[in-house]
Amino acid sequence: MKFTVRLRLPAASRSCGDAKARFSEIVDRAVNGEEFVVTRMGRAAVRISRFERRARSRKLGDLAGQVWIADDFEEWPPDLRATLGLDVPEET
């Protein structure tokens, strides 16, 4: 068995102006695993962190043979037909 341990250090806080001035440095550090919170007027606005791809992407046909549709799928239950007025004969 293989385990991955990720240590989450507290996110460094940067003002919006500081983040703009040092954006390239922040991106480089985020790529290396550091996380930043950019603040606007003293309140957290956004988080900048490393992008992590999903382990496995879904593909068409993954559930083939595992899903089925009932033969009466398009038929309404009698009580619901009556409630919705679907049993009322059409006037000619």
Side-chain angles (χ1 to χ4, degrees):
M1 238 188 268
K2 182 178 177 181
F3 293 98
T4 302
V5 177
R6 293 186 184 156
L7 298 175
R8 280 207 91 113
L9 301 172
S13 181
R14 301 274 187 242
S15 69
C16 198
D18 183 38
K20 181 179 177 183
R22 300 172 61 190
F23 187 71
S24 292
E25 175 192 345
I26 290 173
V27 169
D28 290 339
R29 289 172 61 182
V31 166
N32 291 320
E34 200 168 338
E35 189 172 270
F36 294 88
V37 173
V38 179
T39 61
R40 180 178 280 167
M41 297 177 62
R43 293 182 176 222
V46 296
R47 178 182 299 137
I48 299 175
S49 63
R50 174 177 43 205
F51 176 77
E52 296 181 13
R53 297 199 183 277
R54 291 183 180 166
R56 178 180 176 267
S57 62
R58 292 176 281 166
K59 64 179 182 178
L60 192 60
D62 273 352
L63 297 176
Q66 299 177 39
V67 178
W68 59 273
I69 298 175
D71 293 332
D72 63 349
F73 174 75
E74 294 181 1
E75 295 179 22
W76 294 83
D79 58 332
L80 187 55
R81 288 185 66 80
T83 301
L84 295 174
L86 298 175
D87 287 334
V88 177
E90 293 183 19
E91 294 182 23
T92 54

